[in-house]
Amino acid sequence: MDSVQVETVASLNLEIPQIDSLTTVLSSQSKSSSRFSKNAIRTSLQASTLDAIFAAIFSITTGGILLSKFLVELDASPVVFGMLSSIPMLVNLIQPLGAYISERTTSRFQYSALVYGISRLLWLILVIGIIGTSWGVINSQQLVILTLLIVFFSHLSGGLGSASWMSWLAIIVPRRLRGRYFGIRNSATSLTNLLCVPLAGLAVSHWYGGTLQGYGVVLFVGILFGLISLGCQYFKIDVNPQLQNTYIVDSSNIKNELGEITDTGLIPQNQEDKGLAMLNPYNIGKNSNFWIFLLYFSLWMLAFNLCTPFVNLYLLETLNVDVGWVTVYSSLQAGANLLMFVLWGKLADKVGNRPILIFVGIIVAVTPLLWFGISNSKLDIWLWLPLLHIFVGGTGAAVDLCNNNMQIGITPVRNQSIYFAIAAAIAGVTGALGTTIGGFIAQSPHFGGLLGLFALSSIFRLAALIPLIFVKEQRIGNRE
C-alpha cells in the first residue's frame, strides 16, 4: 500500500513508486514531482472496485430481504421493521463526530480498517446468537432485540468512518474520470447484488438445518467477505488527513480516458488556480455554494422518501400483485440501474452533473404520477409494470451517481470529510423524516391514501430541484 506521510519541511515532494514497493516517502524537492503515479492510481481504483464488490456481499447478508426474512421467521412486530428502516438514516448524525476524529488521524486506511472492522465483526455476535437459539439458550424475542442492537451499533461504528472514506476516495479518483469511474464501480456493485441476492436467498431457504441456521451460515460468509473488502483497501494509496488539509489535488494532467491516466498529486493550496479556488474551507458557514447544495439534497431526500418505501406496499396490498412478480420487477429495476450507471457516468464527465440532475430530476419527480394509471390487469402486469420499474432503475442511476459526484466536486479538499459528514447527517434526518411523514399520510384518508402520497411526493420533488439551479458546479476544461 502506498501512503502519504508528512514531514516538517519547507517544501514538499511526493514520490509514489510502483504499488508493490509498499512504501512512499516525502522529500524536500519541487512541486512538479508531487504526483501520484499512474500505476498507483490505477491499482487504487481497481482495489476500490474490488472493495465495493466484497462490501456489497457483506451488505446483502446484513440487510435487505435476507435480514427482513430472518426477522419474519422470528415473528418480529411491524415496529421492529420500522426501526430497522430508520436506524441507518438516523445514525448519520454521528458522521460529523467521525469526520472530526478522522481529520486528526494520520492514515485514512488505518482509520477505515478500525471503524469498519469493528462494524463488521459485531455481526459475529448475531451468528453466536443464532447458534444459541438453536441450542435453546435464548428465545426468538431476545434474538430480535439482539439483532436491533447489532444493527444500531454496527451502523453507528460505520457512520464514524463514512465521511473519511468518501474523502479518501475523492482524493484518489481523478476529477475528469469521476463520472466514468463511479459509474463502473456502481455497476459492479449492482451486478453483485443482482447475482448474489438470489443465490443467498436459495442458500437460506434450502439449508438442511432450517432457514435460521441457513441465515447464520450465509451471514458468517458475508462477514468474511466484508473483512476481505477491508483487505482490498490496503492496496489503495493511503492519504494522511493532515497532508490533505494542507495540500490540494492537482489533476490537470489527467486524460479523459481511464486507460490514459498520466498522474495526479497534491500541491500546496496557496498555489491552486484562483479560478478553481473554493471559499475558506475552515469557515464552512461562509461556503454558500455548499449550503445551497445541502438545501437541495436534504429537500430531495425528504421528498424522495415520502413515497419510495411504500411502492412495494402499494403493489402487494392495493394492487394485490403476487410477491413473485414484485421480485421480478425489483430484478428488472436493478438490471436497468446496472446498465445505465456507465452511460450516465460518461455523460456526466462530458456535460457535468448539474444539467443531468436537473433534467433527470424533473423526470424522477413526475414518475410517482405514473402509478395513477396502473392496475392489476394482465397488460399492466406483463408490460407497464416491468417498463415502469426499468424506467425507475435507469433514471435513479443518474440521480444517485450525479448527486455523489457533485457533492465531491463542490467540497474543498481541505477538511473535506467534515463537509461530507454534515451533508450525510442532515440528509439522513430529512430522509427519516420523509419516511415517517409518508407513513402518517398513507394512513390518513384525508390525503387519498397511497396515491395521494405519490402526488404529494411529486410536488415536493419538483420544489426540491429549485435550489439546485443556483448551485455552481466546478468544471475543469480539457487542458492538454
Side-chain angles (χ1 to χ4, degrees), residues 54 57-59 61-62 116-117 119-128 150 216-230:
F54 291 125
I57 298 175
F58 168 78
S59 298
T61 61
T62 58
Y116 285 112
S119 173
R120 294 171 185 182
L121 287 173
L122 281 173
W123 286 92
L124 285 174
I125 300 175
L126 184 57
V127 175
I128 297 173
I150 292 173
V217 173
V218 170
L219 176 60
F220 181 75
V221 174
I223 294 170
L224 293 180
F225 278 110
L227 296 178
I228 292 174
S229 79
L230 294 180

Side-chain angles (χ1 to χ4, degrees), residues 126-146:
L126 184 57
V127 175
I128 297 173
I130 294 173
I131 296 174
T133 302
S134 301
W135 291 350
V137 178
I138 62 176
N139 58 43
S140 60
Q141 290 305 309
Q142 291 172 332
L143 190 58
V144 168
I145 295 173
L146 178 63

Side-chain angles (χ1 to χ4, degrees), residues 67-269:
L67 185 60
S68 297
K69 177 64 175 176
F70 171 69
L71 291 173
V72 167
E73 291 293 326
L74 297 176
D75 296 323
S77 66
V79 175
V80 172
F81 287 94
M83 295 176 64
L84 194 66
S85 299
S86 61
I87 285 174
M89 290 185 284
L90 291 178
V91 295
N92 282 328
L93 289 171
I94 200 68
Q95 287 205 28
L97 175 61
Y100 178 83
I101 296 173
S102 71
E103 293 304 311
R104 279 146 184 79
T105 64
T106 57
S107 170
R108 294 287 187 200
F109 168 71
Q110 292 178 8
Y111 183 77
S112 177
L114 175 63
V115 295
Y116 285 112
I118 294 174
S119 173
R120 294 171 185 182
L121 287 173
L122 281 173
W123 286 92
L124 285 174
I125 300 175
L126 184 57
V127 175
I128 297 173
I130 294 173
I131 296 174
T133 302
S134 301
W135 291 350
V137 178
I138 62 176
N139 58 43
S140 60
Q141 290 305 309
Q142 291 172 332
L143 190 58
V144 168
I145 295 173
L146 178 63
T147 302
L148 287 178
L149 288 174
I150 292 173
V151 169
F152 175 76
F153 285 107
S154 176
H155 281 87
L156 193 68
S157 178
L160 289 173
S162 296
S164 176
W165 175 86
M166 192 171 181
S167 181
W168 183 16
L169 203 58
I171 284 288
I172 295 175
V173 181
R175 183 186 297 272
R176 293 184 181 178
L177 300 180
R178 196 168 285 157
R180 189 182 204 187
Y181 172 71
F182 281 113
I184 295 173
R185 188 178 189 274
N186 291 348
S187 292
T189 303
S190 297
L191 180 60
T192 303
N193 280 279
L194 195 62
L195 296 176
C196 292
V197 169
L199 293 176
L202 287 173
V204 171
S205 60
H206 290 84
W207 187 258
Y208 68 92
T211 56
L212 289 182
Q213 289 186 16
Y215 177 70
V217 173
V218 170
L219 176 60
F220 181 75
V221 174
I223 294 170
L224 293 180
F225 278 110
L227 296 178
I228 292 174
S229 79
L230 294 180
C232 293
Q233 295 182 9
Y234 178 82
F235 299 96
K236 292 162 58 177
I237 299 170
D238 195 8
V239 174
N240 186 332
Q242 307 298 325
L243 175 67
Q244 182 179 345
N245 293 336
T246 309
Y247 292 80
I248 62 98
V249 174
D250 175 23
S251 56
S252 59
N253 292 326
I254 299 300
K255 299 285 186 180
N256 199 14
E257 294 293 339
L258 191 57
E260 299 179 3
I261 296 177
T262 54
D263 53 21
T264 187
L266 301 177
I267 61 175
Q269 188 173 7

Side-chain angles (χ1 to χ4, degrees), residues 295-306:
L295 176 62
Y296 147 73
F297 191 49
S298 58
L299 289 177
W300 180 264
M301 290 300 294
L302 188 149
F304 188 78
N305 282 283
L306 271 177

Side-chain angles (χ1 to χ4, degrees), residues 214-469:
Y215 177 70
V217 173
V218 170
L219 176 60
F220 181 75
V221 174
I223 294 170
L224 293 180
F225 278 110
L227 296 178
I228 292 174
S229 79
L230 294 180
C232 293
Q233 295 182 9
Y234 178 82
F235 299 96
K236 292 162 58 177
I237 299 170
D238 195 8
V239 174
N240 186 332
Q242 307 298 325
L243 175 67
Q244 182 179 345
N245 293 336
T246 309
Y247 292 80
I248 62 98
V249 174
D250 175 23
S251 56
S252 59
N253 292 326
I254 299 300
K255 299 285 186 180
N256 199 14
E257 294 293 339
L258 191 57
E260 299 179 3
I261 296 177
T262 54
D263 53 21
T264 187
L266 301 177
I267 61 175
Q269 188 173 7
N270 58 10
Q271 297 182 28
E272 184 182 11
D273 185 85
K274 294 182 180 180
L276 299 175
M278 294 293 293
L279 295 173
N280 184 2
Y282 280 121
N283 197 338
I284 297 178
K286 291 184 178 181
N287 193 334
S288 59
N289 198 45
F290 169 75
W291 288 108
I292 295 173
F293 172 82
L294 186 57
L295 176 62
Y296 147 73
F297 191 49
S298 58
L299 289 177
W300 180 264
M301 290 300 294
L302 188 149
F304 188 78
N305 282 283
L306 271 177
C307 74
T308 300
F310 304 99
V311 170
N312 286 338
L313 177 63
Y314 182 73
L315 287 171
L316 295 170
E317 187 174 278
T318 305
L319 298 182
N320 294 317
V321 178
D322 183 80
V323 66
W325 280 109
V326 177
T327 305
V328 172
Y329 299 151
S330 298
S331 298
L332 290 174
Q333 183 172 330
N337 199 266
L338 160 68
L339 295 175
M340 292 300 293
F341 263 128
V342 177
L343 176 62
W344 290 122
K346 292 180 179 179
L347 187 61
D349 286 335
K350 293 180 179 180
V351 304
N353 297 285
R354 192 180 66 144
I356 296 176
L357 279 176
I358 293 175
F359 174 72
V360 179
I362 294 174
I363 297 175
V364 174
V366 301
T367 298
L369 299 179
L370 300 178
W371 290 101
F372 280 75
I374 298 295
S375 66
N376 59 355
S377 66
K378 289 186 178 181
L379 180 63
D380 290 340
I381 295 293
W382 286 88
L383 179 62
W384 295 120
L385 280 173
L387 289 178
L388 180 56
H389 279 80
I390 292 173
F391 181 72
V392 169
T395 54
V399 174
D400 292 342
L401 178 67
C402 293
N403 271 334
N404 179 74
N405 290 347
M406 193 167 185
Q407 183 179 171
I408 293 174
I410 68 171
T411 53
V413 173
R414 197 176 187 183
N415 292 323
Q416 193 174 42
S417 65
I418 297 178
Y419 287 82
F420 294 150
I422 293 174
I426 296 178
V429 171
T430 56
L433 183 62
T435 301
T436 304
I437 295 175
F440 283 111
I441 295 176
Q443 294 178 0
S444 175
H446 301 291
F447 290 93
L450 288 174
L451 288 180
L453 177 62
F454 293 164
L456 191 62
S457 177
S458 287
I459 297 173
F460 276 106
R461 291 182 189 189
L462 288 171
L465 292 174
I466 296 176
L468 184 60
I469 300 174

